[in-house]
């Protein structure tokens, strides 16, 4: 029986976020920011010009116009030539130093340009959870904060399972252990703990918007492989691009997930791993918007933040109406917003 599904949509000026939760556990975070290049969003279609064919990388770099580009994987034999115009679609957003991955849809003419943007957050939510009522306002903002904290925590203790998920340059490492301590997984409890851990690992990986090679270290050895592989298939979904490997003799299950979205930490953080100035600026706007929704009586509310955050937040706060104001404070702690009355 399918679990209860909840859908949240937070349309804060500067950034729209969508969330999906099943049985009270968040499964998807969708984010679109104003000013982000539309041509490299998932699902966007463009006329592109083949800028370079790289035989070593088995693909072509494609100019999408407006300073944006993508990478088109190619088979061994193809008919593409440098300078050729083609219609392409984004099948994986940019990540790290990798450009957006493209799929060739057919021939095209004219200058490189965007033909159609990818789905909006609201459209993606409707596709993922059709017919479910969308919750907005303060409750959606609170859900955004909770989901982000949970995703970036990457460790869960649930129903006797201690689960840790970590992304490295090479792969995503998942460690499933018993919350009761070593040696407690020698009986049938190990099987149930592994099943719970596989479902939670799939949820956290999806929540963080990760892809690539996944190595899952299960509890115990000598367990029947097929039920565990079936549990992994149920948790990670029926995407035909997912490749499941066997359970090896060390009790490690391997699989490969396709990349689709830019990883959550890359959307929120800068190169130093800390929240970027843009993320902090929008966080100021979201915090102030939540305060305005919660307090409808105060004639004016102020968000005290750093001058750098105020510079980003300023034009966005104006969209919140005449009750919303900023108080730039050089002594403020970056990332910490204080709401004050007039």
């Amino acid at each position: 029986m399918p679990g209860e599904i909840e859908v949240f949509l937070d349309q804060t000026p500067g950034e729209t976020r969508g969330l999906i939760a099943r049985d009270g556990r968040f499964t998807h975070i969708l984010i679109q920011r104003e000013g982000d290049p539309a041509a490299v969003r998932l699902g966007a279609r463009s006329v592109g010009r083949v800028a370079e064919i790289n035989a070593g990388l088995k693909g072509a770099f494609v100019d999408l116009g407006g300073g944006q580009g993508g990478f088109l994987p190619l088979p061994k034999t193809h008919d593409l030539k440098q300078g050729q115009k083609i219609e392409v679609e984004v099948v994986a957003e940019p990540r790290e130093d990798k450009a957006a991955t493209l799929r060739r849809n057919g021939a095209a003419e004219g200058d490189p340009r965007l033909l159609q943007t990818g789905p909006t957050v609201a459209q993606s939510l409707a596709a993922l959870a059709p017919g479910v009522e969308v919750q907005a306002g303060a409750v959606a903002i609170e859900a955004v904060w909770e989901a982000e904290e949970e995703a970036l925590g990457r460790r869960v203790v649930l129903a006797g399972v201690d689960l840790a998920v970590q992304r490295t340059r090479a792969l995503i490492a998942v460690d499933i252990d018993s919350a009761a301590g070593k040696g407690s997984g020698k009986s049938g409890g190990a099987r149930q703990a592994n099943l719970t851990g596989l479902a939670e690992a799939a949820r956290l990986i999806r929540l963080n918007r990760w892809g690539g090679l996944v190595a899952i270290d299960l509890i115990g050895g000598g367990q029947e492989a097929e039920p565990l592989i079936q549990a992994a298939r149920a948790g990670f979904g029926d995407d035909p691009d997912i490749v499941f490997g066997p359970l090896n003799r060390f009790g490690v299950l391997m699989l490969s997930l396709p990349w689709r979205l830019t990883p959550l930490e890359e959307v929120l953080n800068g190169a130093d791993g800390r929240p970027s100035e843009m993320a902090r600026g929008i966080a100021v706007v979201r915090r102030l918007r939540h305060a305005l929704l919660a307090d409808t009586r105060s004639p004016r509310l102020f968000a005290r933040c750093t001058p750098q955050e105020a510079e980003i937040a300023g034009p966005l706060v104006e969209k919140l109406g005449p009750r919303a104001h900023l108080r730039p404070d050089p002594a403020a702690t970056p990332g910490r917003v204080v709401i004050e009355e007039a």
Side-chain angles (χ1 to χ4, degrees):
M1 181 176 179
E4 180 185 0
I5 298 176
E6 296 177 281
V7 177
F8 303 90
L9 180 63
D10 167 32
Q11 294 178 300
T12 290
E15 182 182 84
T16 297
R17 291 196 191 187
L19 301 173
I20 294 180
R22 184 182 294 271
D23 292 329
R25 309 289 287 176
F26 294 105
T27 59
H28 295 77
I29 298 180
L30 307 176
I31 301 176
Q32 286 184 359
R33 283 192 184 146
E34 295 177 13
D36 282 351
V40 293
R41 284 181 183 169
L42 184 66
R45 293 191 300 108
S46 297
V47 171
R49 180 184 64 83
V50 178
E52 177 190 347
I53 297 177
N54 191 309
L57 296 178
K58 300 179 182 180
F61 292 98
V62 180
D63 174 18
L64 301 177
Q68 301 302 314
F71 181 76
L72 176 66
L74 294 174
K76 289 183 178 179
T77 58
H78 60 84
D79 59 354
L80 279 187
K81 297 179 181 180
Q82 188 170 339
Q84 186 174 341
K85 308 294 179 57
I86 54 175
E87 181 183 315
V88 292
E89 181 177 338
V90 176
V91 295
E93 294 180 347
R95 68 183 189 278
E96 296 178 335
D97 57 349
K98 295 180 175 60
T101 304
L102 308 173
R103 177 176 62 213
R104 181 182 180 183
N105 287 346
E109 296 179 352
D111 294 332
R113 64 193 185 279
L114 180 66
L115 295 175
Q116 181 178 325
T117 62
T120 65
V121 170
Q123 290 169 338
S124 296
L125 290 175
L128 289 167
V132 179
E133 181 182 358
V134 177
Q135 303 179 60
V139 67
I141 295 176
E142 292 160 10
V144 162
W145 292 333
E146 184 180 349
E148 181 179 325
E149 181 179 2
E150 185 175 325
L152 297 180
R154 297 170 192 159
R155 182 171 180 179
V156 173
V157 178
L158 175 71
V161 177
D162 186 348
L163 172 75
V165 180
Q166 182 180 9
R167 178 188 170 208
T168 69
R169 292 186 62 181
L171 51 75
I172 300 166
V174 178
D175 180 33
I176 302 175
D177 205 348
S178 171
K182 300 292 183 182
S184 58
K186 294 182 179 180
S187 65
R191 179 180 181 276
Q192 185 56 50
N194 282 329
L195 296 178
T196 301
L198 283 167
E200 276 297 291
R203 185 183 70 84
L204 281 178
I205 290 171
R206 186 181 300 112
L207 199 59
N208 279 282
R209 300 145 56 106
W210 289 340
L213 185 64
V214 182
I216 304 175
D217 186 9
L218 299 163
I219 301 174
Q223 297 190 56
E224 188 178 353
E226 190 56 30
L228 296 172
I229 295 175
Q230 290 301 320
R233 291 183 183 275
F236 286 95
D238 57 0
D239 189 323
D241 292 329
I242 299 178
V243 179
F244 292 88
L247 177 65
N248 68 24
R249 62 193 180 112
F250 301 107
V252 176
L253 178 64
M254 305 291 293
L255 61 144
S256 177
L257 301 175
W259 283 101
R260 294 283 189 263
L261 300 169
T262 301
L264 182 64
E265 68 270 24
E266 293 181 26
V267 175
L268 301 178
N269 298 336
D272 59 358
R274 299 179 180 181
S276 65
E277 287 191 1
M278 177 60 69
R280 295 203 314 268
I282 293 176
V284 172
V285 184
R286 180 170 284 114
R287 183 70 63 175
L288 183 54
R289 178 168 176 260
H290 182 268
L292 291 168
L293 291 169
D295 179 359
T296 58
R297 295 186 176 183
S298 297
R300 289 186 297 172
L301 291 177
F302 293 80
R304 186 180 295 276
C305 59
T306 68
Q308 294 82 2
E309 293 165 351
E311 184 176 356
I312 294 171
L316 303 174
V317 165
E318 292 179 1
K319 299 180 182 180
L320 295 177
R323 298 175 59 223
H325 301 272
L326 295 173
R327 278 187 176 146
D329 182 359
T333 302
R336 182 183 178 189
V337 184
V338 178
I339 303 298
E340 300 171 338
E341 296 182 5

